[in-house]
């Protein structure tokens, strides 16, 4: 830290992104990226956009916003495109949380929620998940704060039904409920259709997972017109050109190739079930993940040791030191070949650790 860093940030603990090794020698199963390249339509559209990078991007990403609205049966004013879904979450913490509206979220969830809270000086309350890592919706009735729920949750992959989310929204009419659907396309039930019904619901999604555009940084918020207006006020006070031309074009291309997205999602779902069955045979216990990752622990081997041994063998997965989940690892579902390599490596490691 330099002597110039202002005091209020001096004790900040920032978010730690998953490792992004420079060499490609690892099988990378640690940041829930897609193993598939972007759609050809996304690549072509982004390539064309490069030719006009001398011009600022459209601050509204109009073509893309219209396309997204049409796809989800919403109006243009219900949608806001952002620089990854991390940015829409940041806007939401900024717009809807303060000391009178603390943030409320599960104790085990996306690690950025407490980081944004600390950064923005927002008080927050963490509600413990049940023993089996599922959410008890009763804990969120009359929560007296702005609720953030990842559905599917990270890193557990556990989901809530739309019926349960509806109950949470209705039990908190005077608070915003944010449903983070980063992983919704791998078997969960989206609550975007509820956007038209409730003025206090914000649904966030990303192009990073199911649409193979993690490196482009594209996300979005879908909500009532009032909430989107508030989020736009924040956006235009921070970074009006938040989505660059290439990304906006790539996103449009990806939206025009829904068949490709759906095909890849079904592949990942099948591969998740295939891998889960193999892991079970090896003695792993898993949560019921409906995401593009598996959350697993082994009763005969330490979670961190498994992570380190796999890294030695060239396979990266994600381990969290947090006490309640330190025996678990989060494993991104890749191609079947990658999963077979993982199972092979784990078979050897479990022998070694016996
Ligand atoms: N929400 C959750 C639950 C996530 O795991 C992630 C991925 N790190 C994000 C949001 C943000 O993803 P992105 O900014 O790439 O859209």
């Amino acid at each position: 830290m330099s002597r110039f860093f202002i005091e209020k940030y001096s004790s900040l603990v920032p978010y730690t992104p998953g490792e992004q090794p420079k060499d490609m020698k690892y099988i990378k199963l640690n940041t829930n990226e897609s193993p598939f390249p972007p759609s050809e339509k996304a690549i072509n559209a982004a390539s064309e956009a490069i030719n006009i990078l001398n011009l600022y991007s459209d601050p509204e990403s109009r073509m893309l916003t219209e396309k997204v609205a049409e796809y989800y049966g919403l109006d243009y004013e219900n949608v806001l495109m952002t620089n990854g879904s991390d940015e829409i979450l940041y806007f939401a913490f900024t717009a809807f949380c303060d000391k009178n509206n603390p943030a409320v979220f599960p104790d085990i969830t996306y690690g950025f929620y407490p980081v944004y809270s600390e950064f923005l000086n927002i008080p927050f309350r963490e509600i413990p998940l049940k023993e089996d890592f599922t959410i008890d919706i009763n804990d969120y009735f009359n929560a007296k704060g702005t609720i953030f729920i990842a559905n599917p949750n990270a890193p557990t992959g556990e989901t809530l039904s739309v019926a349960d989310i509806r109950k949470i929204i209705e039990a908190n009419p005077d608070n915003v409920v944010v449903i983070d659907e980063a992983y919704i396309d791998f078997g969960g039930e989206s609550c975007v259709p509820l956007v038209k019904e409730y003025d206090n619901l914000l649904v966030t999604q990303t192009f990073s997972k199911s649409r193979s555009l993690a490196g482009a940084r594209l996300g979005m918020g879908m909500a009532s017109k009032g909430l989107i207006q508030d989020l736009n006020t924040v956006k235009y006070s921070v970074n009006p050109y938040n989505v660059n031309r290439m990304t906006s074009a790539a996103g449009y291309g990806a939206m025009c190739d829904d068949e490709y997205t759906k095909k890849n999602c079904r592949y990942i779902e099948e591969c998740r079930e295939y891998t889960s069955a193999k892991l079970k045979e090896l003695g792993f216990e898993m949560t019921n993940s409906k995401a593009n990752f598996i959350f697993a622990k082994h009763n005969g081997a330490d979670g961190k040791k498994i992570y380190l041994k796999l890294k030695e063998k060239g396979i990266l997965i994600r381990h969290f030191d947090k006490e309640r989940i330190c025996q678990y690892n989060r494993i991104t579902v890749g191609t079947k070949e990658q999963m077979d390599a993982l199972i092979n490596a784990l078979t050897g490691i479990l022998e070694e650790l016996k």
Side-chain angles (χ1 to χ4, degrees):
M1 194 191 328
S2 84
R3 62 200 162 91
F4 303 106
F5 201 30
I6 55 173
E7 199 187 328
K8 73 171 174 176
Y9 293 143
S10 60
S11 58
L12 209 60
V13 182
Y15 177 72
T16 316
E19 297 160 86
Q20 298 290 354
K22 299 283 173 296
D23 52 64
M24 294 300 278
K25 73 176 196 283
Y26 288 101
I27 295 181
K28 228 180 139 294
L29 307 175
N30 67 330
T31 46
N32 301 337
E33 290 140 330
S34 170
F36 305 112
S39 142
E40 291 262 321
K41 290 187 181 170
I43 294 171
N44 292 339
S47 309
E48 273 179 36
I50 290 178
N51 296 314
I52 35 173
L53 280 183
N54 53 314
L55 302 178
Y56 281 107
S57 57
D58 171 6
E60 289 185 31
S61 277
R62 183 164 275 278
M63 271 177 65
L64 174 59
T65 308
E66 271 169 6
K67 189 83 191 161
V68 168
E70 179 199 307
Y71 181 84
Y72 287 105
L74 299 171
D75 291 335
Y76 183 81
E77 297 81 10
N78 294 126
V79 180
L80 172 58
M81 305 309 299
T82 53
N83 189 318
S85 58
D86 279 338
E87 191 181 50
I88 187 77
L89 290 167
Y90 175 69
F91 290 168
F93 273 91
T94 309
F96 307 124
C97 302
D98 65 7
K99 66 179 187 332
N100 300 317
N101 301 278
V104 178
F105 44 80
D107 63 337
I108 306 296
T109 190
Y110 184 33
F112 233 131
Y113 302 164
V115 173
Y116 282 144
S117 304
E118 298 276 3
F119 182 67
L120 294 164
N121 205 15
I122 295 162
F124 61 94
R125 183 158 66 90
E126 294 177 295
I127 300 181
L129 292 176
K130 288 195 280 186
E131 202 52 37
D132 64 358
F133 293 128
T134 58
I135 285 176
D136 183 346
I137 58 164
N138 293 294
D139 292 340
Y140 292 83
F141 292 172
N142 195 17
K144 298 198 170 66
T146 302
I147 296 171
F148 291 81
I149 293 177
N151 188 50
N153 197 8
T156 64
E158 292 280 354
T159 51
L160 285 177
S161 67
V162 168
D164 278 347
I165 289 171
R166 185 190 285 280
K167 285 182 197 152
I168 294 174
I169 299 166
E170 290 188 353
N172 294 277
D174 297 323
N175 288 107
V176 174
V177 178
V178 180
I179 303 295
D180 173 350
E181 293 190 348
Y183 301 103
I184 199 64
D185 295 329
F186 303 99
E189 201 189 347
S190 173
C191 60
V192 169
L194 301 189
V195 160
K196 288 271 187 185
E197 285 183 58
Y198 300 101
D199 67 355
N200 61 330
L201 168 66
L202 167 65
V203 183
T204 65
Q205 286 195 8
T206 181
F207 282 63
S208 297
K209 319 293 177 182
S210 57
R211 296 191 172 95
S212 300
L213 286 173
R217 313 303 302 126
L218 185 62
M220 59 199 170
M222 290 169 277
S224 61
K225 295 176 186 181
L227 293 191
I228 293 294
Q229 246 173 22
D230 301 339
L231 292 160
N232 262 317
T233 301
V234 173
K235 168 187 141 148
Y236 282 96
S237 305
V238 178
N239 190 10
Y241 304 105
N242 59 336
V243 178
N244 74 68
R245 253 180 205 289
M246 287 175 295
T247 293
S248 194
Y252 185 85
M255 289 303 296
C256 293
D257 204 354
D258 197 40
E259 229 171 83
Y260 179 72
T261 302
K262 289 219 165 86
K263 184 178 84 174
N264 291 344
C265 289
R266 297 304 80 84
Y267 178 99
I268 295 294
E269 283 173 48
E270 276 170 31
C271 205
R272 179 183 66 214
E273 301 315 313
Y274 166 82
T275 312
S276 299
K278 295 269 180 199
L279 287 171
K280 206 166 171 193
E281 280 170 24
L282 289 179
F284 281 91
E285 277 175 32
M286 282 148 287
T287 53
N288 181 20
S289 173
K290 290 275 175 276
N292 65 341
F293 54 80
I294 292 167
F295 195 52
K297 76 163 177 179
H298 197 284
N299 285 330
D302 178 67
K304 184 143 195 179
K305 276 196 187 140
I306 293 177
Y307 154 75
L308 289 172
K309 290 258 174 204
L310 272 177
K311 192 171 174 183
E312 271 171 29
K313 289 180 189 280
I315 300 179
L316 273 185
I317 59 172
R318 186 90 197 246
H319 181 265
F320 301 90
D321 281 326
K322 199 167 178 160
E323 198 186 332
R324 203 177 160 191
I325 53 171
C326 66
Q327 286 310 319
Y328 281 81
N329 282 295
R330 193 194 68 192
I331 305 163
T332 303
V333 178
T335 60
K336 184 159 175 295
E337 292 69 34
Q338 290 176 320
M339 296 293 106
D340 283 337
L342 168 84
I343 297 293
N344 270 340
L346 281 172
T347 307
I349 289 168
L350 289 173
E351 272 301 313
E352 282 173 42
L353 291 177
K354 247 183 195 167

